[in-house]
């Protein structure tokens, strides 16, 4: 009986694996088509300076408008693109779009702001990433000083010594580096000090947990660490006023989340830049 059950289980497992492989192949093909047929788009989510309430930067976030399946989340297609290697091409596409949008915003005479671009661990692990980014910057209108690359903590922590060198090469280009999803990886504090980075981005899970002692404690620790290491610190995933009040009181430098705005169409960026959120930054009890 056990043997028969084992066999049935095995067959089921195989079928499931097969279905997944087929699904991935299909998505790989569709993604290739999506890139060539304008189904991919970027949205931009503002980041607010807590001292002034001004929008000082925007994070570029990818979207896939699938003709039949509707909007597909990057959480669903980026892992596939990473497995197939398509993320390299996608990454280049993102940078090209960012430059195109910056030219458009500049043509409207908008104030300059920083643009944050997510870089997958697969992209980061490519030996030629610094060369690729340099080639991009050489041809782009966007100056390096307006570009920040977001790398996840786990990406830069695997083989930290080699990554310190690579980060150095990127930094030499004049751009900024942020550590995304900070607190979810396993940073060695001694390495962190040696990493040529500019920004720590507190993972949104800790912001969501701010109403718990642990959550608040971790956020406090990351903000204190940022101050010690002289880094900029940003919190993402802010949805509620109490989260905002807490982060402002603790001196978090930058804020990002649905409370302020969802990721926006490039056309809606100009209006957003006109906004000032200083009223929202006043603690609730003083209203
Ligand atoms: P991430 O870089 O950590 O981006 C933050 C995610 O949180 C975004 O999800 C954003 O839309 C979402 N978010 C922002 N504010 C709030 C909030 O107040 N509440 C909640 N619940 N969520 C909020 P999104 O756009 O779905 O992207 C998910 C992830 O996909 C990103 O996480 C990033 O890892 C990846 N991704 C997105 N665009 C790109 C890209 O161009 N390249 C690469 N390599 N990865 C990307
Ligand atoms: Mg990010
Ligand atoms: Mg993040
Ligand atoms: Mg993330």
């Amino acid at each position: 009986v056990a043997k028969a059950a084992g066999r049935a289980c095995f067959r089921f497992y195989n079928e499931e694996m097969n279905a997944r492989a087929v699904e991935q192949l299909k998505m790989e093909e569709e993604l290739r088509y999506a890139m060539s047929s304008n189904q991919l788009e970027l949205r931009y989510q503002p980041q607010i300076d807590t001292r002034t309430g001004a929008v000082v930067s925007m994070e570029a976030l990818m979207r896939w408008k699938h003709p039949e399946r509707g909007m597909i989340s990057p959480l669903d297609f980026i892992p596939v693109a990473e497995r197939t290697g398509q993320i390299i091409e996608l990454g280049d596409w993102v940078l090209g779009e960012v430059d195109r949008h910056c030219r458009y915003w500049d043509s409207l005479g908008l104030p300059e702001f920083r643009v944050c671009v997510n870089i997958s661990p697969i992209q980061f692990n490519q030996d030629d990433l610094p060369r690729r980014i340099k080639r991009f910057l050489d041809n782009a209108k966007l100056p390096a000083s307006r570009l920040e690359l977001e790398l996840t903590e786990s990406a830069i922590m695997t083989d930290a010594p080699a990554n310190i060198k690579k980060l150095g090469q990127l930094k030499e280009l004049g751009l900024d580096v942020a550590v995304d999803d900070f607190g979810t990886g396993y940073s060695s504090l001694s390495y962190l000090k040696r990493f040529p980075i500019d920004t720590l981005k507190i993972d949104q899970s800790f912001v969501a947990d701010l109403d718990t002692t642990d959550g608040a404690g971790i956020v406090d620790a990351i903000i204190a660490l940022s101050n010690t290491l002289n880094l900029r610190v940003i919190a993402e995933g802010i949805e509620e006023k109490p989260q905002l009040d807490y982060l402002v009181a603790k001196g978090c430098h930058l804020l990002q989340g649905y409370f302020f705005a969802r990721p926006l169409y490039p056309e809606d960026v100009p209006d957003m830049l006109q906004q000032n959120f200083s009223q929202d930054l006043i603690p609730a009890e003083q209203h």
Side-chain angles (χ1 to χ4, degrees):
V1 175
K3 209 170 168 190
R7 214 165 16 232
C9 193
F10 183 66
R11 198 189 61 213
F12 178 68
Y13 181 61
N14 263 337
E15 274 168 11
E16 195 179 286
M17 269 180 29
N18 202 33
R20 211 181 306 157
V22 168
E23 181 62 27
Q24 176 170 327
L25 262 176
K26 188 168 161 230
M27 197 184 261
E28 177 179 357
E29 212 168 280
E30 289 186 330
L31 196 50
R32 191 172 306 121
Y33 180 69
M35 277 191 258
S36 62
S37 59
N38 296 320
Q39 290 175 25
L40 297 177
E41 296 176 2
L42 289 185
R43 298 285 186 275
Y44 292 89
Q45 192 178 31
Q47 302 179 340
I48 285 90
D49 186 327
T50 49
R51 288 165 314 173
T52 63
V55 176
V56 291
S57 38
M58 297 268 176
E59 179 177 10
L61 294 159
M62 227 188 298
R63 295 290 178 263
W64 180 2
K65 261 193 187 155
H66 192 283
E68 288 121 43
R69 283 192 275 169
M71 210 52 114
I72 304 182
S73 160
L75 296 174
D76 293 323
F77 69 84
I78 284 174
V80 174
E82 288 178 335
R83 279 197 293 272
T84 61
Q86 288 168 306
I87 190 68
I88 304 297
E89 212 182 312
L90 275 182
D92 287 344
W93 176 84
V94 170
L95 286 169
E97 282 295 282
V98 163
D99 186 50
R100 195 170 67 84
H101 291 144
C102 285
R103 285 172 199 256
Y104 158 67
W105 294 321
D106 286 354
S107 77
L108 301 177
L110 295 185
E112 297 193 341
F113 53 92
R114 201 182 308 115
V115 181
C116 308
V117 173
N118 291 285
I119 299 288
S120 148
I122 307 289
Q123 291 172 272
F124 184 63
N125 287 338
Q126 300 278 310
D127 288 334
D128 69 347
L129 181 73
R131 203 155 40 85
R132 259 173 196 275
I133 302 285
K134 182 177 185 315
R135 202 194 309 137
F136 163 73
L137 288 169
D138 286 346
N139 295 309
K141 190 158 176 283
L142 183 77
S145 58
R146 287 184 59 191
L147 180 65
E148 181 161 74
L149 301 182
E150 294 195 2
L151 293 154
T152 60
E153 183 185 10
S154 40
I156 63 172
M157 272 302 157
T158 34
D159 196 7
N163 290 340
I164 288 174
K165 189 172 158 218
K166 192 177 263 176
L167 287 171
Q169 292 169 335
L170 289 170
K171 286 291 303 165
E172 269 170 32
L173 302 175
L175 47 75
D176 277 5
V177 172
V179 185
D180 205 351
D181 303 342
F182 188 77
T184 60
Y186 299 91
S187 281
S188 142
L189 294 185
S190 64
Y191 273 128
L192 198 58
K193 202 177 78 168
R194 289 163 50 199
F195 276 126
I197 53 174
D198 305 276
T199 306
L200 293 184
K201 200 161 187 186
I202 302 171
D203 189 66
Q204 48 184 293
S205 62
F206 303 122
V207 174
D209 276 355
L210 266 180
D211 53 352
T212 69
T213 317
D214 283 357
I218 291 170
V219 167
D220 292 354
I222 297 176
I223 293 174
L225 183 64
S226 306
N227 289 331
T228 304
L229 298 178
N230 241 323
L231 300 173
R232 198 156 53 214
V233 61
I234 172 164
E236 67 179 333
I238 298 160
E239 295 182 356
E240 313 284 348
K241 177 69 172 152
Q243 297 168 340
L244 169 62
D245 288 349
Y246 188 88
L247 290 158
V248 170
K250 294 290 174 174
C252 188
H253 304 141
L254 296 167
L255 308 168
Q256 178 182 350
Y258 296 165
F259 180 90
F260 301 101
R262 299 221 163 215
L264 307 166
Y265 286 91
E267 296 77 20
D268 292 332
V269 163
D271 274 351
M272 178 53 60
L273 287 170
Q274 306 290 321
Q275 292 215 39
N276 184 283
F277 290 95
S278 49
Q279 284 304 311
D280 292 302
L281 301 179
I282 301 168
E285 54 275 18
Q286 287 179 28
H287 274 302

